[in-house]
Coordinates of all heavy atoms in Angstrom, one line a residue:
M1 N 7.2 -48.2 -30.4 CA 7.1 -47.7 -29.0 C 6.3 -48.7 -28.2 O 5.3 -49.3 -28.7 CB 6.4 -46.3 -29.0 CG 6.3 -45.7 -27.7 SD 5.4 -44.2 -27.6 CE 6.7 -43.0 -27.9
S2 N 6.8 -49.0 -27.0 CA 6.1 -49.9 -26.1 C 4.9 -49.2 -25.4 O 4.9 -48.1 -25.1 CB 7.0 -50.4 -25.0 OG 8.1 -51.1 -25.6
N3 N 3.9 -50.1 -25.1 CA 2.8 -49.5 -24.4 C 3.0 -49.7 -22.9 O 3.9 -50.3 -22.5 CB 1.5 -50.1 -24.9 CG 1.3 -51.5 -24.5 OD1 1.9 -52.0 -23.6 ND2 0.4 -52.2 -25.2
Y4 N 2.1 -49.1 -22.2 CA 2.3 -49.0 -20.7 C 2.3 -50.4 -20.1 O 3.1 -50.7 -19.2 CB 1.1 -48.2 -20.2 CG 1.0 -48.1 -18.7 CD1 2.0 -47.3 -18.0 CD2 0.1 -48.8 -17.9 CE1 1.9 -47.2 -16.6 CE2 0.0 -48.6 -16.5 CZ 1.0 -47.9 -15.9 OH 0.9 -47.8 -14.5
Q5 N 1.4 -51.3 -20.5 CA 1.4 -52.7 -19.9 C 2.7 -53.5 -20.2 O 3.2 -54.2 -19.3 CB 0.2 -53.4 -20.5 CG -1.2 -52.9 -20.1 CD -1.3 -52.9 -18.5 OE1 -0.9 -53.8 -17.8 NE2 -1.9 -51.8 -18.0
E6 N 3.2 -53.3 -21.4 CA 4.5 -54.0 -21.7 C 5.6 -53.4 -20.8 O 6.5 -54.2 -20.4 CB 4.8 -53.8 -23.2 CG 3.9 -54.5 -24.1 CD 4.2 -54.2 -25.6 OE1 5.0 -53.2 -25.8 OE2 3.6 -54.8 -26.5
L7 N 5.7 -52.2 -20.6 CA 6.7 -51.6 -19.8 C 6.6 -52.0 -18.3 O 7.6 -52.3 -17.7 CB 6.6 -50.0 -19.8 CG 7.0 -49.4 -21.2 CD1 6.7 -47.9 -21.2 CD2 8.5 -49.7 -21.5
L8 N 5.4 -52.2 -17.8 CA 5.2 -52.7 -16.4 C 5.7 -54.1 -16.3 O 6.3 -54.5 -15.3 CB 3.7 -52.6 -16.0 CG 3.2 -51.2 -15.7 CD1 1.7 -51.3 -15.4 CD2 3.9 -50.5 -14.6
K9 N 5.4 -54.9 -17.3 CA 5.8 -56.3 -17.3 C 7.4 -56.4 -17.4 O 8.0 -57.2 -16.7 CB 5.2 -57.1 -18.5 CG 5.5 -58.5 -18.5 CD 4.9 -59.2 -19.7 CE 5.2 -60.7 -19.6 NZ 4.6 -61.5 -20.7
Q10 N 8.0 -55.5 -18.2 CA 9.4 -55.5 -18.3 C 10.0 -55.1 -16.9 O 11.0 -55.6 -16.5 CB 9.9 -54.5 -19.4 CG 9.7 -55.0 -20.8 CD 10.0 -53.9 -21.8 OE1 10.5 -52.8 -21.4 NE2 9.8 -54.3 -23.1
R11 N 9.4 -54.1 -16.3 CA 9.9 -53.7 -15.0 C 9.8 -54.8 -13.9 O 10.7 -55.0 -13.2 CB 9.1 -52.5 -14.5 CG 9.6 -52.0 -13.1 CD 8.9 -50.7 -12.6 NE 7.5 -51.0 -12.2 CZ 6.7 -50.1 -11.8 NH1 7.1 -48.8 -11.7 NH2 5.5 -50.4 -11.4
E12 N 8.7 -55.6 -13.9 CA 8.6 -56.7 -13.0 C 9.6 -57.7 -13.3 O 10.2 -58.3 -12.3 CB 7.2 -57.3 -13.1 CG 6.1 -56.4 -12.5 CD 4.7 -57.0 -12.8 OE1 4.6 -58.2 -13.2 OE2 3.7 -56.3 -12.6
E13 N 9.9 -58.0 -14.5 CA 10.9 -59.0 -14.9 C 12.3 -58.5 -14.5 O 13.1 -59.3 -13.9 CB 10.9 -59.3 -16.4 CG 9.7 -60.0 -16.8 CD 9.5 -60.1 -18.4 OE1 10.4 -59.5 -19.1 OE2 8.6 -60.7 -18.8
L14 N 12.6 -57.2 -14.7 CA 13.8 -56.7 -14.3 C 14.0 -56.7 -12.8 O 15.1 -57.0 -12.3 CB 14.0 -55.3 -14.9 CG 15.3 -54.6 -14.7 CD1 16.4 -55.4 -15.3 CD2 15.3 -53.2 -15.3
E15 N 13.0 -56.3 -12.0 CA 13.1 -56.4 -10.6 C 13.3 -57.8 -10.1 O 14.1 -58.0 -9.1 CB 11.8 -55.8 -10.0 CG 11.7 -54.2 -10.1 CD 10.4 -53.6 -9.6 OE1 9.5 -54.4 -9.3 OE2 10.4 -52.4 -9.5
A16 N 12.7 -58.8 -10.7 CA 13.0 -60.2 -10.3 C 14.4 -60.5 -10.6 O 15.1 -61.2 -9.7 CB 12.0 -61.1 -11.1
K17 N 15.0 -60.1 -11.7 CA 16.4 -60.4 -12.0 C 17.3 -59.7 -11.0 O 18.3 -60.2 -10.6 CB 16.7 -59.9 -13.4 CG 16.1 -60.8 -14.5 CD 16.6 -60.3 -15.9 CE 15.9 -61.1 -17.0 NZ 16.3 -60.6 -18.3
I18 N 16.9 -58.5 -10.6 CA 17.7 -57.7 -9.6 C 17.7 -58.5 -8.3 O 18.8 -58.6 -7.7 CB 17.2 -56.3 -9.5 CG1 17.5 -55.5 -10.8 CG2 17.8 -55.6 -8.3 CD1 16.8 -54.1 -10.8
R19 N 16.6 -58.9 -7.9 CA 16.5 -59.7 -6.6 C 17.4 -60.9 -6.6 O 18.1 -61.2 -5.7 CB 15.0 -60.0 -6.3 CG 14.2 -58.9 -5.6 CD 12.9 -59.4 -5.1 NE 12.1 -60.0 -6.1 CZ 11.2 -59.4 -6.9 NH1 11.1 -58.0 -6.8 NH2 10.5 -60.0 -7.8
E20 N 17.3 -61.7 -7.7 CA 18.1 -62.9 -7.9 C 19.6 -62.6 -7.8 O 20.3 -63.3 -7.2 CB 17.7 -63.6 -9.2 CG 16.3 -64.2 -9.2 CD 16.0 -64.8 -10.5 OE1 16.9 -65.1 -11.4 OE2 14.8 -65.0 -10.8
A21 N 20.0 -61.6 -8.6 CA 21.4 -61.2 -8.6 C 21.9 -60.8 -7.2 O 23.0 -61.1 -6.8 CB 21.6 -60.1 -9.6
R22 N 21.1 -60.0 -6.5 CA 21.4 -59.6 -5.2 C 21.6 -60.7 -4.2 O 22.6 -60.8 -3.5 CB 20.4 -58.6 -4.6 CG 20.8 -58.0 -3.3 CD 19.7 -57.1 -2.7 NE 20.2 -56.4 -1.5 CZ 20.3 -56.9 -0.3 NH1 19.9 -58.2 -0.1 NH2 20.7 -56.2 0.7
E23 N 20.7 -61.7 -4.3 CA 20.7 -62.8 -3.4 C 22.0 -63.6 -3.7 O 22.7 -64.1 -2.8 CB 19.5 -63.7 -3.6 CG 18.3 -63.1 -2.9 CD 17.0 -63.9 -3.2 OE1 17.1 -65.1 -3.7 OE2 15.9 -63.4 -3.0
T24 N 22.3 -63.8 -4.9 CA 23.5 -64.6 -5.3 C 24.8 -63.9 -4.8 O 25.7 -64.5 -4.2 CB 23.6 -64.8 -6.8 OG1 22.4 -65.5 -7.3 CG2 24.8 -65.6 -7.2
E25 N 24.9 -62.6 -5.1 CA 26.1 -61.8 -4.7 C 26.2 -61.7 -3.2 O 27.2 -61.7 -2.6 CB 26.1 -60.4 -5.4 CG 26.3 -60.5 -6.9 CD 26.3 -59.2 -7.6 OE1 26.7 -58.2 -6.9 OE2 26.0 -59.1 -8.8
L26 N 25.0 -61.6 -2.5 CA 25.0 -61.5 -1.1 C 25.6 -62.8 -0.5 O 26.3 -62.7 0.5 CB 23.6 -61.2 -0.6 CG 23.4 -60.9 0.9 CD1 24.2 -59.6 1.2 CD2 21.9 -60.7 1.2
K27 N 25.2 -63.9 -1.0 CA 25.7 -65.2 -0.5 C 27.2 -65.3 -0.6 O 27.9 -65.7 0.3 CB 25.0 -66.4 -1.2 CG 23.6 -66.6 -0.8 CD 23.0 -67.7 -1.6 CE 21.5 -67.9 -1.3 NZ 20.9 -68.9 -2.1
D28 N 27.7 -64.8 -1.8 CA 29.2 -64.8 -2.0 C 29.9 -63.9 -1.1 O 30.9 -64.2 -0.5 CB 29.5 -64.4 -3.5 CG 29.0 -65.4 -4.5 OD1 28.8 -66.6 -4.1 OD2 28.9 -65.1 -5.7
A29 N 29.3 -62.7 -0.9 CA 29.9 -61.7 0.0 C 29.9 -62.2 1.5 O 30.9 -62.1 2.2 CB 29.1 -60.4 0.0
I30 N 28.9 -62.8 1.9 CA 28.8 -63.4 3.3 C 29.9 -64.5 3.4 O 30.6 -64.6 4.5 CB 27.4 -63.9 3.6 CG1 26.4 -62.7 3.8 CG2 27.4 -64.7 4.9 CD1 25.0 -63.1 3.9
A31 N 30.0 -65.3 2.4 CA 31.0 -66.4 2.5 C 32.4 -65.8 2.6 O 33.3 -66.3 3.4 CB 30.9 -67.3 1.3
Q32 N 32.7 -64.7 1.8 CA 34.0 -64.1 1.9 C 34.3 -63.5 3.3 O 35.3 -63.6 3.8 CB 34.1 -63.0 0.8 CG 34.3 -63.5 -0.6 CD 34.3 -62.3 -1.6 OE1 33.7 -61.3 -1.4 NE2 35.0 -62.5 -2.6
V33 N 33.2 -62.8 3.8 CA 33.4 -62.2 5.1 C 33.6 -63.2 6.2 O 34.5 -63.1 7.0 CB 32.1 -61.3 5.5 CG1 32.1 -60.9 6.9 CG2 32.0 -60.1 4.6
R34 N 32.9 -64.3 6.2 CA 33.1 -65.4 7.1 C 34.5 -66.0 7.0 O 35.1 -66.3 8.1 CB 32.0 -66.5 7.0 CG 30.7 -66.0 7.5 CD 29.6 -67.1 7.4 NE 28.4 -66.6 7.9 CZ 27.2 -67.1 7.6 NH1 27.1 -68.1 6.7 NH2 26.1 -66.7 8.2
A35 N 35.0 -66.1 5.8 CA 36.3 -66.7 5.6 C 37.4 -65.7 6.2 O 38.3 -66.2 6.9 CB 36.6 -66.9 4.2
L36 N 37.2 -64.4 6.0 CA 38.2 -63.4 6.5 C 38.1 -63.4 8.1 O 39.1 -63.3 8.7 CB 37.9 -62.1 6.0 CG 38.3 -61.9 4.5 CD1 37.8 -60.6 4.0 CD2 39.8 -62.0 4.3
V37 N 36.9 -63.5 8.6 CA 36.7 -63.4 10.1 C 37.4 -64.6 10.7 O 38.2 -64.5 11.7 CB 35.2 -63.4 10.5 CG1 35.0 -63.7 11.9 CG2 34.6 -62.0 10.1
A38 N 37.3 -65.8 10.1 CA 37.9 -67.0 10.6 C 39.4 -66.9 10.4 O 40.2 -67.3 11.3 CB 37.3 -68.2 9.9
Q39 N 39.9 -66.5 9.3 CA 41.3 -66.4 9.0 C 42.0 -65.5 10.0 O 43.1 -65.8 10.4 CB 41.5 -65.9 7.6 CG 43.0 -65.8 7.1 CD 43.1 -65.3 5.7 OE1 42.1 -65.0 5.0 NE2 44.4 -65.1 5.3
F40 N 41.5 -64.4 10.3 CA 42.1 -63.4 11.2 C 41.6 -63.4 12.6 O 42.0 -62.5 13.4 CB 42.0 -62.0 10.5 CG 42.8 -61.8 9.3 CD1 42.1 -61.9 8.0 CD2 44.2 -61.7 9.3 CE1 42.8 -61.8 6.8 CE2 44.9 -61.5 8.1 CZ 44.2 -61.6 6.9
D41 N 40.8 -64.3 13.0 CA 40.2 -64.4 14.3 C 39.6 -63.1 14.7 O 39.9 -62.6 15.8 CB 41.2 -64.8 15.3 CG 41.7 -66.3 15.1 OD1 40.9 -67.1 14.7 OD2 42.9 -66.5 15.3
L42 N 38.8 -62.5 13.9 CA 38.2 -61.2 14.2 C 37.0 -61.3 15.1 O 36.3 -62.3 15.1 CB 37.8 -60.5 12.8 CG 38.9 -60.2 11.9 CD1 38.3 -59.7 10.6 CD2 39.8 -59.2 12.4
T43 N 36.7 -60.2 15.8 CA 35.5 -60.2 16.7 C 34.6 -59.1 16.1 O 35.0 -58.4 15.2 CB 35.9 -59.8 18.1 OG1 36.4 -58.5 18.1 CG2 36.9 -60.8 18.7
A44 N 33.4 -59.1 16.6 CA 32.4 -58.1 16.2 C 33.0 -56.7 16.5 O 32.8 -55.8 15.7 CB 31.1 -58.3 16.9
D45 N 33.7 -56.5 17.6 CA 34.2 -55.2 17.9 C 35.3 -54.8 16.9 O 35.5 -53.6 16.6 CB 34.8 -55.2 19.3 CG 33.8 -55.2 20.4 OD1 32.6 -54.8 20.1 OD2 34.1 -55.6 21.5
D46 N 36.1 -55.8 16.4 CA 37.1 -55.5 15.4 C 36.4 -55.0 14.1 O 36.9 -54.0 13.5 CB 37.9 -56.7 15.1 CG 38.8 -57.2 16.2 OD1 39.1 -56.4 17.1 OD2 39.0 -58.4 16.3
V47 N 35.4 -55.6 13.7 CA 34.7 -55.3 12.5 C 33.8 -54.1 12.5 O 33.8 -53.3 11.7 CB 33.9 -56.5 12.0 CG1 33.2 -56.2 10.7 CG2 34.8 -57.7 11.8
F48 N 33.1 -54.0 13.6 CA 32.1 -52.9 13.8 C 32.4 -51.9 14.8 O 31.6 -51.5 15.6 CB 30.7 -53.5 14.1 CG 30.2 -54.5 13.0 CD1 30.2 -55.8 13.2 CD2 29.9 -54.0 11.8 CE1 29.8 -56.7 12.2 CE2 29.4 -54.8 10.8 CZ 29.4 -56.2 11.0
S49 N 33.7 -51.5 15.0 CA 34.0 -50.6 16.0 C 33.4 -49.2 15.7 O 33.2 -48.9 14.5 CB 35.6 -50.4 16.1 OG 36.0 -49.8 14.9
S50 N 33.2 -48.4 16.7 CA 32.6 -47.1 16.5 C 33.5 -46.1 15.9 O 33.1 -45.0 15.5 CB 32.0 -46.6 17.9 OG 33.1 -46.3 18.7
G51 N 34.8 -46.4 15.9 CA 35.8 -45.5 15.4 C 36.3 -44.5 16.4 O 37.2 -43.8 16.2
K52 N 35.6 -44.4 17.5 CA 36.0 -43.5 18.6 C 37.0 -44.3 19.5 O 36.7 -45.4 19.9 CB 34.8 -43.1 19.4 CG 33.8 -42.2 18.6 CD 32.7 -41.8 19.5 CE 31.7 -41.0 18.7 NZ 30.6 -40.6 19.5
R53 N 38.1 -43.7 19.7 CA 39.0 -44.3 20.6 C 39.2 -43.4 21.8 O 39.5 -42.2 21.7 CB 40.4 -44.5 19.9 CG 40.3 -45.5 18.8 CD 41.6 -45.9 18.3 NE 41.4 -46.9 17.3 CZ 42.0 -48.0 17.2 NH1 43.0 -48.3 18.0 NH2 41.8 -48.8 16.2
S54 N 39.0 -44.0 23.0 CA 39.2 -43.2 24.2 C 40.6 -43.2 24.6 O 41.3 -44.3 24.5 CB 38.3 -43.8 25.3 OG 38.7 -45.1 25.7
S55 N 41.1 -42.1 25.0 CA 42.5 -42.0 25.4 C 42.6 -42.5 26.9 O 41.6 -42.5 27.6 CB 43.0 -40.6 25.3 OG 42.3 -39.8 26.2
K56 N 43.8 -42.9 27.3 CA 43.9 -43.4 28.6 C 43.6 -42.4 29.6 O 43.2 -42.7 30.7 CB 45.3 -44.0 28.8 CG 45.6 -45.2 28.0 CD 46.9 -45.8 28.2 CE 47.1 -47.1 27.4 NZ 48.4 -47.7 27.6
S57 N 43.9 -41.1 29.3 CA 43.7 -40.0 30.3 C 42.2 -39.6 30.3 O 41.9 -38.7 31.1 CB 44.6 -38.9 30.0 OG 44.3 -38.3 28.7
S58 N 41.4 -40.1 29.4 CA 40.0 -39.6 29.3 C 39.3 -40.0 30.6 O 39.2 -41.1 31.0 CB 39.3 -40.3 28.1 OG 38.0 -39.9 28.1
G59 N 38.8 -38.9 31.3 CA 38.1 -39.1 32.5 C 38.9 -39.4 33.7 O 38.4 -39.7 34.8
A60 N 40.2 -39.4 33.6 CA 41.1 -39.7 34.7 C 41.2 -38.5 35.6 O 41.1 -37.3 35.2 CB 42.5 -40.0 34.2
K61 N 41.3 -38.8 36.9 CA 41.4 -37.7 37.9 C 42.8 -37.1 37.8 O 43.8 -37.7 37.5 CB 41.3 -38.3 39.3 CG 39.9 -38.8 39.6 CD 39.0 -37.8 40.1 CE 37.6 -38.3 40.4 NZ 36.8 -37.4 41.2
V62 N 42.9 -35.8 38.1 CA 44.1 -35.0 38.1 C 44.4 -34.7 39.5 O 43.6 -34.2 40.3 CB 44.0 -33.8 37.2 CG1 45.2 -32.9 37.2 CG2 43.6 -34.1 35.8
A63 N 45.7 -34.8 39.9 CA 46.1 -34.5 41.2 C 46.0 -33.0 41.5 O 46.3 -32.2 40.6 CB 47.5 -35.0 41.5
P64 N 45.6 -32.6 42.7 CA 45.5 -31.2 43.0 C 46.8 -30.6 43.0 O 47.8 -31.2 43.4 CB 44.8 -31.1 44.3 CG 44.9 -32.5 44.9 CD 45.1 -33.5 43.8
K65 N 46.9 -29.3 42.5 CA 48.2 -28.6 42.5 C 48.2 -27.5 43.5 O 49.3 -27.1 43.9 CB 48.3 -28.0 41.0 CG 49.6 -27.5 40.7 CD 49.7 -27.1 39.2 CE 51.0 -26.5 38.9 NZ 51.1 -26.1 37.5
Y66 N 47.1 -27.0 43.9 CA 47.0 -25.9 44.9 C 46.1 -26.2 46.0 O 45.1 -27.0 45.9 CB 46.4 -24.6 44.2 CG 47.2 -24.2 43.0 CD1 46.8 -24.5 41.7 CD2 48.4 -23.5 43.1 CE1 47.5 -24.2 40.6 CE2 49.1 -23.1 42.0 CZ 48.7 -23.4 40.7 OH 49.4 -23.0 39.6
R67 N 46.4 -25.7 47.2 CA 45.6 -26.0 48.4 C 45.4 -24.6 49.2 O 46.3 -23.9 49.3 CB 46.3 -27.0 49.4 CG 45.5 -27.2 50.7 CD 46.0 -28.2 51.6 NE 45.7 -29.5 51.0 CZ 46.5 -30.5 50.6 NH1 47.8 -30.2 50.6 NH2 46.1 -31.6 50.1
N68 N 44.2 -24.4 49.6 CA 43.8 -23.3 50.4 C 44.2 -23.6 51.9 O 43.6 -24.5 52.5 CB 42.3 -23.0 50.3 CG 41.9 -21.7 51.1 OD1 42.7 -21.2 51.9 ND2 40.7 -21.3 50.8
P69 N 45.2 -22.9 52.4 CA 45.6 -23.3 53.8 C 44.6 -23.0 54.9 O 44.6 -23.7 55.9 CB 46.9 -22.4 54.0 CG 46.8 -21.3 53.0 CD 46.0 -21.8 51.9
A70 N 43.6 -22.1 54.6 CA 42.6 -21.8 55.6 C 41.6 -22.9 55.7 O 41.1 -23.3 56.8 CB 42.0 -20.5 55.2
T71 N 41.2 -23.5 54.5 CA 40.1 -24.4 54.5 C 40.5 -25.8 54.1 O 39.7 -26.8 54.3 CB 38.9 -24.0 53.6 OG1 39.5 -24.0 52.2 CG2 38.4 -22.6 53.9
G72 N 41.6 -26.0 53.5 CA 42.1 -27.3 53.0 C 41.5 -27.6 51.6 O 41.8 -28.7 51.1
E73 N 40.8 -26.7 51.1 CA 40.2 -26.9 49.7 C 41.3 -27.0 48.7 O 42.4 -26.3 48.9 CB 39.4 -25.6 49.4 CG 38.0 -25.9 48.8 CD 37.3 -24.6 48.5 OE1 37.4 -23.6 49.3 OE2 36.6 -24.6 47.5
T74 N 41.1 -27.8 47.7 CA 42.2 -28.0 46.7 C 41.7 -27.6 45.3 O 40.5 -27.6 45.1 CB 42.7 -29.4 46.6 OG1 41.6 -30.3 46.3 CG2 43.4 -29.8 47.9
W75 N 42.6 -27.3 44.4 CA 42.3 -27.0 43.0 C 43.4 -27.6 42.1 O 44.6 -27.6 42.5 CB 42.2 -25.5 42.8 CG 41.9 -25.1 41.4 CD1 40.9 -25.5 40.6 CD2 42.6 -24.1 40.7 NE1 40.9 -24.8 39.4 CE2 42.0 -24.0 39.4 CE3 43.7 -23.3 40.9 CZ2 42.4 -23.1 38.4 CZ3 44.2 -22.4 39.9 CH2 43.5 -22.3 38.7
T76 N 43.0 -28.2 41.0 CA 44.0 -28.8 40.1 C 44.8 -27.8 39.2 O 45.8 -28.2 38.6 CB 43.3 -29.8 39.2 OG1 42.4 -29.1 38.4 CG2 42.6 -30.9 40.0
G77 N 44.3 -26.6 39.1 CA 44.9 -25.7 38.2 C 44.2 -25.7 36.9 O 44.6 -25.0 36.0
R78 N 43.2 -26.5 36.7 CA 42.4 -26.5 35.5 C 41.1 -25.9 35.7 O 40.5 -26.0 36.7 CB 42.3 -28.0 35.0 CG 43.6 -28.6 34.7 CD 43.3 -30.0 34.2 NE 44.6 -30.7 33.8 CZ 44.7 -31.8 33.3 NH1 43.6 -32.5 33.0 NH2 45.9 -32.3 33.0
G79 N 40.6 -25.3 34.6 CA 39.3 -24.7 34.6 C 39.3 -23.3 35.3 O 40.4 -22.8 35.6
K80 N 38.2 -22.8 35.7 CA 38.1 -21.5 36.3 C 38.6 -21.6 37.7 O 38.3 -22.5 38.5 CB 36.6 -21.0 36.3 CG 36.5 -19.6 36.8 CD 35.0 -19.2 36.7 CE 34.9 -17.8 37.3 NZ 33.5 -17.3 37.3
A81 N 39.5 -20.6 38.0 CA 40.1 -20.6 39.4 C 39.0 -20.3 40.4 O 38.2 -19.4 40.2 CB 41.2 -19.5 39.4
P82 N 39.1 -21.0 41.6 CA 38.2 -20.6 42.7 C 38.5 -19.3 43.2 O 39.6 -18.7 43.1 CB 38.5 -21.7 43.7 CG 39.7 -22.4 43.3 CD 40.0 -22.1 41.9
K83 N 37.5 -18.7 44.0 CA 37.6 -17.3 44.5 C 38.8 -17.2 45.4 O 39.4 -16.2 45.5 CB 36.3 -16.9 45.2 CG 35.2 -16.7 44.2 CD 33.9 -16.3 45.0 CE 32.8 -16.1 44.0 NZ 31.6 -15.6 44.6
W84 N 39.1 -18.2 46.2 CA 40.2 -18.1 47.2 C 41.6 -18.0 46.6 O 42.5 -17.6 47.2 CB 40.2 -19.3 48.2 CG 40.2 -20.7 47.6 CD1 39.2 -21.5 47.3 CD2 41.4 -21.4 47.2 NE1 39.6 -22.7 46.8 CE2 41.0 -22.7 46.8 CE3 42.8 -21.1 47.3 CZ2 41.8 -23.6 46.3 CZ3 43.6 -22.1 46.8 CH2 43.2 -23.3 46.4
I85 N 41.7 -18.3 45.2 CA 43.0 -18.2 44.6 C 43.0 -17.1 43.5 O 44.1 -16.7 43.0 CB 43.5 -19.5 44.1 CG1 45.0 -19.5 43.9 CG2 42.8 -19.9 42.8 CD1 45.6 -20.9 43.6
A86 N 41.8 -16.7 43.1 CA 41.7 -15.8 42.0 C 42.4 -14.4 42.3 O 42.3 -14.0 43.4 CB 40.2 -15.5 41.6
D87 N 43.1 -13.9 41.4 CA 43.8 -12.6 41.5 C 44.9 -12.6 42.6 O 45.1 -11.5 43.2 CB 42.8 -11.5 41.7 CG 41.8 -11.3 40.6 OD1 42.2 -11.6 39.4 OD2 40.6 -11.0 40.8
K88 N 45.4 -13.7 42.9 CA 46.5 -13.8 43.9 C 47.7 -14.6 43.3 O 47.5 -15.3 42.3 CB 46.0 -14.6 45.2 CG 44.8 -13.8 45.9 CD 44.4 -14.6 47.1 CE 43.2 -13.8 47.7 NZ 42.4 -14.7 48.6
D89 N 48.8 -14.4 44.0 CA 50.0 -15.1 43.6 C 49.8 -16.6 43.9 O 49.7 -17.0 45.1 CB 51.2 -14.6 44.3 CG 52.5 -15.3 43.9 OD1 52.5 -15.9 42.8 OD2 53.4 -15.3 44.7
R90 N 49.8 -17.5 42.9 CA 49.5 -18.9 43.1 C 50.6 -19.6 43.7 O 50.4 -20.7 44.3 CB 49.1 -19.5 41.8 CG 47.7 -18.9 41.3 CD 47.3 -19.5 40.0 NE 46.0 -18.9 39.6 CZ 45.4 -19.1 38.5 NH1 45.9 -20.0 37.6 NH2 44.3 -18.4 38.2
D91 N 51.8 -19.1 43.7 CA 53.0 -19.8 44.3 C 52.8 -20.1 45.7 O 53.2 -21.1 46.2 CB 54.2 -19.0 44.0 CG 54.7 -19.0 42.6 OD1 54.2 -19.9 41.8 OD2 55.4 -18.1 42.2
Q92 N 52.1 -19.2 46.5 CA 51.9 -19.4 47.9 C 50.9 -20.6 48.2 O 50.9 -21.0 49.3 CB 51.4 -18.1 48.5 CG 50.1 -17.6 48.1 CD 49.7 -16.3 48.7 OE1 50.2 -16.0 49.7 NE2 48.8 -15.6 48.0
F93 N 50.2 -21.0 47.2 CA 49.2 -22.1 47.4 C 49.6 -23.4 46.8 O 48.9 -24.4 47.0 CB 47.8 -21.7 46.7 CG 47.2 -20.4 47.3 CD1 47.3 -19.2 46.6 CD2 46.6 -20.5 48.5 CE1 46.7 -18.1 47.2 CE2 46.0 -19.3 49.1 CZ 46.1 -18.1 48.4
L94 N 50.8 -23.5 46.2 CA 51.3 -24.7 45.6 C 51.4 -25.8 46.7 O 51.9 -25.6 47.8 CB 52.7 -24.5 45.0 CG 52.6 -23.9 43.6 CD1 54.0 -23.6 43.1 CD2 52.0 -24.9 42.6
I95 N 51.0 -27.0 46.3 CA 51.2 -28.2 47.1 C 52.6 -28.7 46.9 O 53.0 -29.0 45.8 CB 50.2 -29.3 46.8 CG1 48.8 -28.7 47.1 CG2 50.4 -30.5 47.6 CD1 47.6 -29.6 46.7
A96 N 53.4 -28.9 47.9 CA 54.8 -29.3 47.8 C 54.9 -30.8 47.5 O 54.1 -31.6 47.7 CB 55.6 -28.9 49.0

């Protein structure tokens, strides 16, 4: 059975080997990544995209579908209906 001091020494040696192996493999990995980036003309956005893609309609304005003839106020038909059109036949407010 090993004593405490021997085990600590073995741990230090093992940690040093781990650091060396990581540095070597890291250099190889970086070289591979650089080669792929150069080969395919990749940009940072290509490699590190957020994964979120915005649709073309995201945040786009929607044309109004209804108009209040009394005030000229308009409504797209989306969301909660304004008071001037609520509980009424919407056909009479359609914008032609």
